[in-house]
Amino acid sequence: AARAESPPEVKMPPKFDPTAIAYVYVRVTGGVVGAASSLAPKLGPLGLSPKKIGDDLAKATKKDWAGLRVTCRLVVQNRQAQVEVVPSAGALVIRALKEPVVDRKKVKHLQHDGNITMDDVYECARIMRPRSMARKFAGTVKEILGTCVSVGCTVDGEDPKDLQAAIDEGELVCPDE
């Protein structure tokens, strides 16, 4: 008779390290308490309460990002989470348009056909600078202008593509920082 095989060696998961820092990125609508079920798969393994984190996210995004989809970074250490808002270029441009807050459930496919100033573009570029791939600040400004194209807004009443061409030709000089 064949004897029963002993089960292979089962490894226990490593002991939880309280000093380890975990980063969790989530996209939330600003100021809205999202469904806890959408956060649970990411936060459960870290031993965090999805409902509490959902409230923290809503609180962190309520003031500046109400009604906008924005990426947030959760810094999790010792089962405590700090919320940092990591805005994308698109979110910054849409915030610069200063549109009234709309109910996302009722209004679909909102057109952002407003107008922002070149100073707004520089402001967005300064925020995005650490995460930009461009060598010079002018390159980051062009990245933001490209975002303006895809968002669908104008800059100082002009098409952002024209401003990008003006930067390339040296007609429009960007500040160094």
Side-chain angles (χ1 to χ4, degrees):
R3 65 173 221 263
E5 287 288 313
S6 63
E9 211 44 48
V10 179
K11 282 249 176 22
M12 285 288 288
K15 188 145 167 40
F16 185 67
D17 178 12
T19 57
I21 299 179
Y23 296 103
V24 181
Y25 289 88
V26 286
R27 269 200 75 138
V28 292
T29 302
V32 178
V33 179
S37 57
S38 59
L39 295 170
K42 286 187 169 185
L43 302 176
L46 300 169
L48 296 168
S49 147
K51 185 174 184 325
K52 184 174 159 298
I53 302 294
D55 295 341
D56 290 352
L57 285 166
K59 203 164 72 198
T61 55
K62 187 162 194 82
K63 197 169 79 233
D64 292 342
W65 303 99
L68 291 179
R69 291 279 287 166
V70 67
T71 309
C72 292
R73 180 168 85 165
L74 295 170
V75 183
V76 182
Q77 184 174 20
N78 203 359
R79 296 187 54 183
Q80 296 294 310
Q82 276 117 4
V83 178
E84 297 171 5
V85 180
V86 189
S88 64
L92 288 167
V93 169
I94 293 171
R95 182 174 75 165
L97 285 167
K98 295 181 180 63
E99 294 173 337
V101 176
V102 291
D103 185 2
R104 297 196 74 93
K105 290 187 181 72
K106 296 195 185 99
V107 185
K108 292 281 191 263
H109 306 302
L110 184 66
Q111 285 292 311
H112 302 286
D113 51 3
N115 182 36
I116 63 176
T117 66
M118 203 61 201
D119 291 335
D120 288 336
V121 173
Y122 293 146
E123 201 48 52
C124 296
R126 283 186 192 102
I127 297 172
M128 288 299 288
R129 187 73 186 118
R131 290 183 285 148
S132 165
M133 291 293 163
R135 278 201 322 246
K136 297 193 176 77
F137 184 65
T140 310
V141 171
K142 283 173 60 183
E143 285 180 9
I144 301 294
L145 286 169
T147 307
C148 294
V149 175
S150 57
V151 165
C153 64
T154 55
V155 178
D156 286 339
E158 292 181 55
D159 183 12
K161 287 181 187 168
D162 300 340
L163 294 170
Q164 282 177 323
I167 291 174
D168 285 339
E169 283 150 24
E171 294 163 19
L172 182 68
V173 179
C174 299
D176 287 336
E177 228 0 90

Short mmCIF file of all heavy atoms in Angstrom, two decimals, residues 33-37 39 43 48-57:
data_model
loop_
_atom_site.label_atom_id
_atom_site.label_comp_id
_atom_site.label_asym_id
_atom_site.label_seq_id
_atom_site.Cartn_x
_atom_site.Cartn_y
_atom_site.Cartn_z
N VAL A 33 -17.69 60.75 0.16
CA VAL A 33 -17.30 59.51 0.83
C VAL A 33 -17.61 58.36 -0.11
O VAL A 33 -18.77 58.07 -0.38
CB VAL A 33 -18.06 59.34 2.16
CG1 VAL A 33 -17.65 58.03 2.83
CG2 VAL A 33 -17.78 60.50 3.09
N GLY A 34 -16.56 57.75 -0.65
CA GLY A 34 -16.75 56.67 -1.61
C GLY A 34 -17.22 55.40 -0.94
O GLY A 34 -17.29 55.31 0.28
N ALA A 35 -17.55 54.40 -1.76
CA ALA A 35 -18.00 53.12 -1.21
C ALA A 35 -16.83 52.43 -0.51
O ALA A 35 -15.74 52.34 -1.06
CB ALA A 35 -18.53 52.24 -2.34
N ALA A 36 -17.06 51.97 0.70
CA ALA A 36 -16.01 51.29 1.45
C ALA A 36 -15.60 50.02 0.72
O ALA A 36 -14.45 49.59 0.79
CB ALA A 36 -16.48 50.98 2.85
N SER A 37 -16.54 49.42 -0.05
CA SER A 37 -16.25 48.15 -0.73
C SER A 37 -15.15 48.32 -1.78
O SER A 37 -14.43 47.38 -2.08
CB SER A 37 -17.52 47.61 -1.39
OG SER A 37 -18.03 48.57 -2.29
N LEU A 39 -12.56 50.29 -1.49
CA LEU A 39 -11.27 50.45 -0.81
C LEU A 39 -10.83 49.16 -0.12
O LEU A 39 -9.64 48.95 0.10
CB LEU A 39 -11.36 51.56 0.23
CG LEU A 39 -11.62 52.98 -0.29
CD1 LEU A 39 -11.92 53.91 0.87
CD2 LEU A 39 -10.44 53.49 -1.07
N LEU A 43 -7.05 47.95 1.32
CA LEU A 43 -6.73 48.29 2.70
C LEU A 43 -6.84 47.11 3.66
O LEU A 43 -6.20 47.11 4.70
CB LEU A 43 -7.65 49.42 3.18
CG LEU A 43 -7.59 50.70 2.36
CD1 LEU A 43 -8.60 51.70 2.87
CD2 LEU A 43 -6.21 51.29 2.40
N LEU A 48 -6.46 47.98 7.89
CA LEU A 48 -7.10 49.29 8.06
C LEU A 48 -8.60 49.18 7.82
O LEU A 48 -9.06 48.32 7.07
CB LEU A 48 -6.53 50.28 7.04
CG LEU A 48 -5.05 50.60 7.18
CD1 LEU A 48 -4.57 51.35 5.97
CD2 LEU A 48 -4.80 51.42 8.42
N SER A 49 -9.35 50.06 8.45
CA SER A 49 -10.80 50.08 8.25
C SER A 49 -11.14 50.90 7.01
O SER A 49 -10.86 52.10 6.98
CB SER A 49 -11.48 50.68 9.47
OG SER A 49 -12.63 51.38 9.10
N PRO A 50 -11.72 50.27 5.98
CA PRO A 50 -12.03 51.01 4.75
C PRO A 50 -12.97 52.19 4.99
O PRO A 50 -12.83 53.25 4.36
CB PRO A 50 -12.70 49.96 3.86
CG PRO A 50 -12.27 48.65 4.40
CD PRO A 50 -12.04 48.85 5.86
N LYS A 51 -13.92 52.02 5.91
CA LYS A 51 -14.89 53.09 6.15
C LYS A 51 -14.19 54.33 6.72
O LYS A 51 -14.42 55.45 6.28
CB LYS A 51 -15.97 52.60 7.12
CG LYS A 51 -17.09 53.60 7.33
CD LYS A 51 -18.19 53.01 8.17
CE LYS A 51 -19.38 53.95 8.31
NZ LYS A 51 -19.06 55.35 8.38
N LYS A 52 -13.32 54.10 7.70
CA LYS A 52 -12.61 55.22 8.32
C LYS A 52 -11.72 55.93 7.30
O LYS A 52 -11.67 57.16 7.23
CB LYS A 52 -11.77 54.70 9.50
CG LYS A 52 -11.08 55.78 10.28
CD LYS A 52 -10.42 55.18 11.50
CE LYS A 52 -9.31 56.07 12.03
NZ LYS A 52 -8.20 56.27 11.08
N ILE A 53 -11.00 55.15 6.47
CA ILE A 53 -10.13 55.75 5.46
C ILE A 53 -10.96 56.53 4.44
O ILE A 53 -10.56 57.59 3.98
CB ILE A 53 -9.29 54.65 4.75
CG1 ILE A 53 -8.46 53.87 5.76
CG2 ILE A 53 -8.39 55.27 3.69
CD1 ILE A 53 -7.39 54.67 6.45
N GLY A 54 -12.13 55.98 4.09
CA GLY A 54 -13.03 56.69 3.16
C GLY A 54 -13.40 58.06 3.70
O GLY A 54 -13.39 59.05 2.97
N ASP A 55 -13.69 58.13 5.01
CA ASP A 55 -14.01 59.42 5.63
C ASP A 55 -12.79 60.35 5.61
O ASP A 55 -12.92 61.55 5.33
CB ASP A 55 -14.48 59.22 7.07
CG ASP A 55 -15.80 58.45 7.14
OD1 ASP A 55 -16.49 58.40 6.11
OD2 ASP A 55 -16.12 57.90 8.21
N ASP A 56 -11.60 59.79 5.88
CA ASP A 56 -10.37 60.60 5.87
C ASP A 56 -10.12 61.17 4.49
O ASP A 56 -9.75 62.34 4.34
CB ASP A 56 -9.17 59.76 6.30
CG ASP A 56 -9.22 59.39 7.78
OD1 ASP A 56 -10.11 59.92 8.48
OD2 ASP A 56 -8.39 58.58 8.23
N LEU A 57 -10.31 60.33 3.45
CA LEU A 57 -10.10 60.78 2.08
C LEU A 57 -11.06 61.92 1.74
O LEU A 57 -10.67 62.93 1.14
CB LEU A 57 -10.31 59.62 1.10
CG LEU A 57 -9.19 58.59 1.02
CD1 LEU A 57 -9.65 57.35 0.29
CD2 LEU A 57 -7.97 59.18 0.35
#
